[in-house]
Amino acid sequence: MAAGRHGGYHGNELKERESDFDASRREFGYSKGEYDRASNGDRGLEGRDKQRGRVRQKDIKERDLMNGGYRSASSRSDSGSSGGSSGDFRRSVFPISAVDREPGELSSESGSDDGIDSESRAKDGKGLKLENGKTSPMQNKKRKFSPIVWDRDDKEVSNLSKSRMSPASTSLPPPPPLPKSYRQSPNSIPTSGVQISPSKVTNLQITQPLLLKPDVDSQLSAQYESPIGLSSSPLPERYLSETEEVERQEEEDYAPTRNIRASRWANDANSPTDEGEISDAPADTKIQKRRKKSSLYTPGEVTVPNKSLSPELEEIRREGSAGTRTRSSESDEGGFQVRSSSRDNYDNDMDKSDCMEIDEERDNYRASVSHSDTDSEEEHDSPDTPEPLVPPQRSVDMLQGCRSVDEFERLNKIDEGTYGVVYRAKDKKTGEVVALKKVKMEKEREGFPLTSLREINILLSFHHPSIVDVKEVVVGSNLDSIFMVMEYMEHDLKGLMETMKQPFSQSEVKCLMLQLLEGAKYLHDNWVLHRDLKTSNLLLNNRGELKICDFGLSRQYGIPLKPYTHLVVTLWYRAPELLLGAKQYSTAIDMWSLGCIMAELLSKQPLFNGKTEFDQLDKIFKTLGTPNETIWPGFSKLPGVKVNFVKHQYNLLRRKFPATSFTGSPVLSDAGFDLLNKLLTYDPSKRITAEDALNHEWFREVPLPKSKDFMPTFPAQHAQDRRMRRIMKSPDPLEEQRRKELQQGELGADNLVLLHLVLENRILC
Ligand SMILES: Nc1ncnc2c1ncn2[C@@H]1O[C@H](COP(=O)(O)OP(=O)(O)OP(=O)(O)O)[C@@H](O)[C@H]1O
């Protein structure tokens, strides 16, 4: 255990600091100058956007250089995992275009600063002034969002705006048109292994709200050991309209991402299907050549239809079904055929045995397929969907485009989670060790689980060093089981910390937090909430790389915020607004989880380990003080604030993380504590964003963040079932309820169609 960790590297830590610092700065791109330039609130919006673009471009170059350089000396684990940081990172950073300009910013300045912030600033005299004497934009900005429903019916947008936005925000200028550069530049899309050529972009692009960064800056809140609540400020925008739509279910809770959008299955009736047009398309790959005849685009004809950029399920269903209809009437060229005899083939497949011998879901699957037949009938009801969905069995056959799980040798079971069983396996062809996550279907009477579809969709789309890489999707030989093939990671942080005798050092925590924040920023920049960030969902390999996994609860969000289920995020990491029943929430819920994770990494103990929701709130209030309307405007209107909570007047967090300690408590510098406080700020609109957290001074002070190369290595625990080691698994009495609620929004076998849209893009690109 922890052999590498305690194997003498600490002695060199001071010496390493300087080089670590350089490396970290280069790796993560936290040059102070860049930060100042990027965050200079004085600059005009356009200038700032350009500047941010330059900064990011510079980051990309620097990161590429770094990733190509210092990591090469790293020892490789037995995983054989591809890592792929260097090449991948380029795709993870998006060029900034004019779409970054946010109309919301124009009116958001009207929000008054919370008086408690002033108090906090006066008290601490830090964290707000930048070194160059300029004032951090955090001082002035409220959390704000881009209204991204640009292309939705104007009427609808304005109605929504009226009902959901504060008076200040109703006076927002209309959102800008989608810039031409964006429309025509698929390079601006952070692609994964899914390389979307311009020619592959169909008009499902309309469902893609990506790249419109939710420029959600936040302010400090006074949560130090001081009386809580000193002044008032206007109600945050996001909570004003909560009462109207909180009863809505999450049935529209589907997260379309670019791989659906880019799927040529997802065209509408207006799409060019004419072969002549198609023949203009560049056929740069074999597959493209094969499919040229049935492609549905014309190069350069990428347009922005008059539809919403919000991830609306109905649109996806319509698009998906329409696209599928079109495809089904086409020729069957290529390896991804739609066969009319699909049912026969499916039955034949069912007779084969899966070499993994882990699939016992045939009956359920049959049930889901038959169910799906009826489900598809529902599509007739949609006025916008005159034709029925493609029969689900056709979709099933499309899975034949996937490799079989037989091509992997199972090594051992790693873990079994709520939504899947994870195996360690070896690719028989390449010898690469991978993780196979088998989608759990046994409880699914409604067809392919939406949670898994979301996860597959997001993970296939996203490519970032801090997001676990899904290489492909493979199927059981009966086509009734689906596996995600992921890069194998030796540890998850929860299991790892349980085996460690001492917590991570501050410089190690900084290294981990930087990676985590990079991942969170990437997600939030792409309008995705993870909604289940916790230490067991953070994977670590023996190259010091941290990666976020488990996107089963993640979803894409848009503006205006819609009511979502509050039953997300494992209890211990759940933000107070969720615990108090808020149904409109945003990226701040992930940031709270990150605060809990940061504290846990420092102390090796969960920060708030409640047993019930009430207990969880109680634990939070005891440590941070009971919130009130003054420090958290809107607090008293949250559905859960009916109970009279005990009023804890003081924030005692500093006692848990003192600056110096003789009792073994984890020490934390003032800057570190400031960051922790900002992550654990009650008012979500003031909670720090991932971007601002990345630029926090804690990461620039000694001890500097450890370079990934110098992170400790730990013996791989792949021989054991991690589940067995999880004695302290976070309890969540509402887990079952949460799953049920999420399943209510599931679309049954229709999801198979969506899955295939996802897979098709992956396979073909
Ligand atoms: N790529 C991977 N490499 C190694 N181990 C992994 C990988 N992905 C997941 N795991 C392990 O499997 C566990 C469960 O995976 P995951 O969280 O994705 O499943 P889940 O069913 O969604 O779990 P949960 O019940 O926590 O929601 C993780 O905590 C981790 O230990």
Side-chain angles (χ1 to χ4, degrees):
M1 89 124 252
R5 170 184 167 69
H6 302 291
Y9 67 91
H10 275 301
N12 295 326
E13 194 167 306
L14 276 176
K15 268 197 282 176
E16 289 162 6
R17 276 174 187 165
E18 203 51 50
S19 58
D20 284 2
F21 180 50
D22 288 343
S24 301
R25 283 166 65 119
R26 275 174 290 160
E27 184 172 356
F28 297 107
Y30 303 123
S31 136
K32 178 72 171 61
E34 286 175 0
Y35 169 58
D36 290 345
R37 284 197 304 277
S39 59
N40 186 348
D42 297 331
R43 192 173 290 120
L45 288 173
E46 194 171 341
R48 193 195 63 178
D49 290 337
K50 281 180 188 163
Q51 186 60 46
R52 284 160 63 192
R54 279 198 292 273
V55 169
R56 291 195 189 187
Q57 290 302 329
K58 189 172 172 227
D59 280 351
I60 294 169
K61 283 181 192 157
E62 289 179 348
R63 288 173 202 195
D64 283 352
L65 275 175
M66 278 313 300
N67 288 330
Y70 76 89
R71 282 247 48 102
S72 58
S74 307
S75 60
R76 286 203 152 261
S77 70
D78 74 335
S79 70
S81 62
S82 60
S85 303
S86 58
D88 300 338
F89 211 103
R90 186 184 302 278
R91 286 174 289 177
S92 74
V93 185
F94 329 121
I96 300 300
S97 67
V99 292
D100 260 357
R101 201 173 305 152
E102 296 171 45
E105 292 180 34
L106 298 176
S107 64
S108 62
E109 304 300 333
S110 59
S112 68
D113 286 343
D114 195 328
I116 203 160
D117 290 348
S118 317
E119 167 100 353
S120 171
R121 287 193 292 269
K123 193 172 171 182
D124 300 300
K126 62 178 171 50
L128 293 172
K129 284 267 181 193
L130 299 179
E131 284 166 20
N132 61 5
K134 286 178 183 168
T135 305
S136 162
M138 284 183 278
Q139 261 181 312
N140 304 320
K141 289 183 183 175
K142 282 171 73 76
R143 183 176 292 273
K144 50 195 175 295
F145 301 91
S146 287
I148 61 162
V149 194
W150 293 350
D151 299 307
R152 204 168 180 73
D153 291 340
D154 289 342
K155 195 176 158 194
E156 189 181 340
V157 173
S158 61
N159 287 342
L160 284 168
S161 301
K162 274 176 201 158
S163 67
R164 289 181 175 167
M165 295 298 191
S166 66
S169 65
T170 55
S171 64
L172 287 175
L178 203 58
K180 207 174 174 185
S181 59
Y182 169 63
R183 280 183 262 154
Q184 296 184 341
S185 173
N187 294 331
S188 62
I189 298 164
T191 58
S192 62
V194 185
Q195 289 290 341
I196 304 169
S197 69
S199 54
K200 291 234 169 211
V201 180
T202 73
N203 56 8
L204 255 194
Q205 184 162 353
I206 56 170
T207 61
Q208 179 54 270
L210 302 183
L211 300 178
L212 310 177
K213 191 175 84 60
D215 186 8
V216 283
D217 295 322
S218 61
Q219 299 170 309
L220 289 170
S221 79
Q223 291 193 359
Y224 295 84
E225 196 163 338
S226 60
I228 298 183
L230 293 170
S231 71
S232 62
S233 70
L235 221 54
E237 291 174 1
R238 71 176 71 182
Y239 291 104
L240 284 173
S241 60
E242 202 173 82
T243 51
E244 286 185 90
E245 293 192 63
V246 290
E247 300 308 319
R248 280 174 50 183
Q249 293 294 319
E250 275 200 302
E251 71 266 16
E252 296 183 358
D253 186 7
Y254 174 68
T257 52
R258 61 193 62 73
N259 44 20
I260 284 188
R261 174 199 46 143
S263 166
R264 69 185 179 78
W265 282 70
N267 65 314
D268 66 15
N270 298 325
S271 292
T273 53
D274 172 1
E275 195 173 337
E277 285 176 313
I278 291 157
S279 64
D280 292 338
D284 49 355
T285 67
K286 268 187 191 171
I287 291 169
Q288 279 177 320
K289 278 179 192 157
R290 267 211 313 259
R291 302 179 62 84
K292 198 159 52 171
K293 189 174 173 187
S294 54
S295 292
L296 299 169
Y297 60 81
T298 300
E301 203 178 295
V302 181
T303 57
V304 182
N306 292 325
K307 291 194 180 180
S308 170
L309 284 169
S310 278
E312 300 293 345
L313 171 65
E314 272 308 309
E315 289 177 3
I316 284 300
R317 294 177 75 180
R318 282 199 295 271
E319 301 283 355
S321 56
T324 311
R325 281 196 304 275
T326 308
R327 175 69 181 97
S328 64
S329 65
E330 289 173 332
S331 69
D332 290 334
E333 286 204 356
F336 215 59
Q337 297 180 346
V338 174
R339 296 184 302 186
S340 56
S341 57
S342 55
R343 169 60 74 180
D344 296 341
N345 291 314
Y346 169 69
D347 287 338
N348 288 340
D349 287 329
M350 292 290 284
D351 295 328
K352 297 177 195 165
S353 66
D354 181 346
C355 80
M356 296 287 282
E357 294 180 343
I358 46 182
D359 313 315
E360 296 183 357
E361 301 143 355
R362 298 178 187 188
D363 291 341
N364 289 328
Y365 188 71
R366 283 177 192 278
S368 77
V369 167
S370 60
H371 182 88
S372 68
D373 285 283
T374 40
D375 275 356
S376 64
E377 296 297 317
E378 291 167 14
E379 287 296 309
H380 291 291
D381 298 330
S382 165
D384 297 320
T385 313
E387 296 176 47
L389 271 177
V390 66
Q393 62 268 27
R394 187 168 290 163
S395 307
V396 172
D397 279 349
M398 288 175 5
L399 284 175
Q400 289 178 355
C402 299
R403 280 210 290 163
S404 165
V405 75
D406 292 357
E407 297 187 29
F408 293 84
E409 176 192 347
R410 181 169 60 161
L411 300 176
N412 61 282
K413 184 159 137 184
I414 299 171
D415 203 348
E416 178 162 359
T418 313
Y419 303 104
V421 190
V422 184
Y423 298 89
R424 184 166 152 266
K426 194 191 218 172
D427 188 328
K428 288 177 186 169
K429 267 190 199 145
T430 63
E432 182 181 18
V433 175
V434 295
L436 286 182
K437 180 168 175 178
K438 179 175 181 282
V439 174
K440 271 191 181 173
M441 302 275 281
E442 61 262 30
K443 289 182 183 150
E444 302 300 331
R445 272 168 288 154
E446 300 295 317
F448 194 83
L450 182 58
T451 48
S452 303
L453 177 60
R454 278 196 193 117
E455 180 168 28
I456 291 171
N457 192 17
I458 286 174
L459 283 175
L460 282 177
S461 307
F462 283 8
H463 213 74
H464 187 273
S466 299
I467 310 287
V468 72
D469 189 37
V470 169
K471 298 161 183 293
E472 62 178 306
V473 173
V474 297
V475 289
S477 51
N478 296 330
L479 302 182
D480 61 348
S481 50
I482 290 173
F483 300 80
M484 278 182 268
V485 182
M486 295 181 278
E487 59 182 319
Y488 173 72
M489 303 286 286
E490 284 86 352
H491 313 279
D492 68 66
L493 282 182
K494 186 174 187 66
L496 190 58
M497 282 192 287
E498 281 162 14
T499 68
M500 288 165 55
K501 290 216 169 83
Q502 297 166 24
F504 288 108
S505 70
Q506 274 204 66
S507 59
E508 289 162 1
V509 174
K510 285 181 190 180
C511 172
L512 296 172
M513 283 302 293
L514 280 172
Q515 296 183 67
L516 181 51
L517 286 164
E518 286 281 2
K521 179 178 179 303
Y522 179 82
L523 294 178
H524 295 169
D525 281 354
N526 283 286
W527 298 92
V528 165
L529 308 177
H530 186 281
R531 303 202 304 182
D532 201 12
L533 289 170
K534 55 182 176 180
T535 47
S536 62
N537 285 341
L538 303 178
L539 306 174
L540 187 69
N541 64 20
N542 280 336
R543 294 189 302 279
E545 294 168 337
L546 175 147
K547 293 177 196 267
I548 301 170
C549 77
D550 192 0
F551 284 70
L553 284 181
S554 61
R555 61 155 297 142
Q556 215 157 15
Y557 71 101
I559 303 299
L561 291 168
K562 294 191 301 182
Y564 308 130
T565 176
H566 62 281
L567 296 173
V568 288
V569 188
T570 305
L571 203 52
W572 293 356
Y573 306 85
R574 199 177 294 174
E577 62 268 29
L578 293 173
L579 290 164
L580 291 166
K583 290 201 173 183
Q584 283 180 333
Y585 52 80
S586 190
T587 52
I589 63 161
D590 285 344
M591 300 314 293
W592 178 276
S593 304
L594 259 54
C596 298
I597 290 166
M598 177 178 164
E600 191 169 335
L601 293 176
L602 288 163
S603 67
K604 221 168 75 66
Q605 299 294 329
L607 180 60
F608 306 121
N609 55 347
K611 291 185 174 60
T612 63
E613 284 194 317
F614 186 83
D615 187 37
Q616 184 70 17
L617 278 170
D618 193 47
K619 284 198 157 71
I620 294 172
F621 293 171
K622 268 186 187 144
T623 304
L624 301 179
T626 309
N628 55 42
E629 195 64 25
T630 307
I631 64 156
W632 183 359
F635 163 75
S636 59
K637 291 193 176 61
L638 290 171
V641 191
K642 289 170 193 139
V643 192
N644 263 340
F645 295 108
V646 180
K647 300 228 171 352
H648 301 282
Q649 275 201 307
Y650 295 97
N651 183 325
L652 306 176
L653 187 62
R654 194 56 162 150
R655 288 190 190 167
K656 289 196 176 190
F657 297 93
T660 51
S661 165
F662 304 101
T663 60
S665 300
V667 292
L668 192 56
S669 69
D670 285 344
F673 184 67
D674 182 66
L675 174 59
L676 186 60
N677 244 318
K678 286 173 176 166
L679 288 165
L680 297 174
T681 292
Y682 275 127
D683 185 343
S685 69
K686 295 173 191 156
R687 205 171 293 150
I688 195 168
T689 62
E691 182 168 18
D692 287 342
L694 277 166
N695 288 307
H696 196 277
E697 61 175 305
W698 186 52
F699 296 113
R700 296 192 294 267
E701 71 169 21
V702 288
L704 294 169
K706 185 163 283 195
S707 158
K708 284 185 257 179
D709 279 338
F710 294 104
M711 283 296 280
T713 54
F714 303 88
Q717 292 156 329
H718 48 242
Q720 306 159 35
D721 182 343
R722 287 180 198 167
R723 187 180 36 150
M724 300 304 288
R725 291 183 280 109
R726 285 215 212 136
I727 304 153
M728 289 175 61
K729 196 167 163 61
S730 167
D732 195 340
L734 297 173
E735 183 64 36
E736 197 55 34
Q737 188 188 340
R738 175 173 70 167
R739 257 182 292 159
K740 271 186 199 152
E741 181 172 325
L742 288 167
Q743 283 167 13
Q744 278 176 8
E746 308 227 335
L747 299 176
D750 291 356
N751 290 345
L752 279 172
V753 176
L754 296 176
L755 171 68
H756 299 138
L757 297 176
V758 172
L759 294 183
E760 185 200 32
N761 194 65
R762 176 67 172 183
I763 291 161
L764 294 177
C765 298

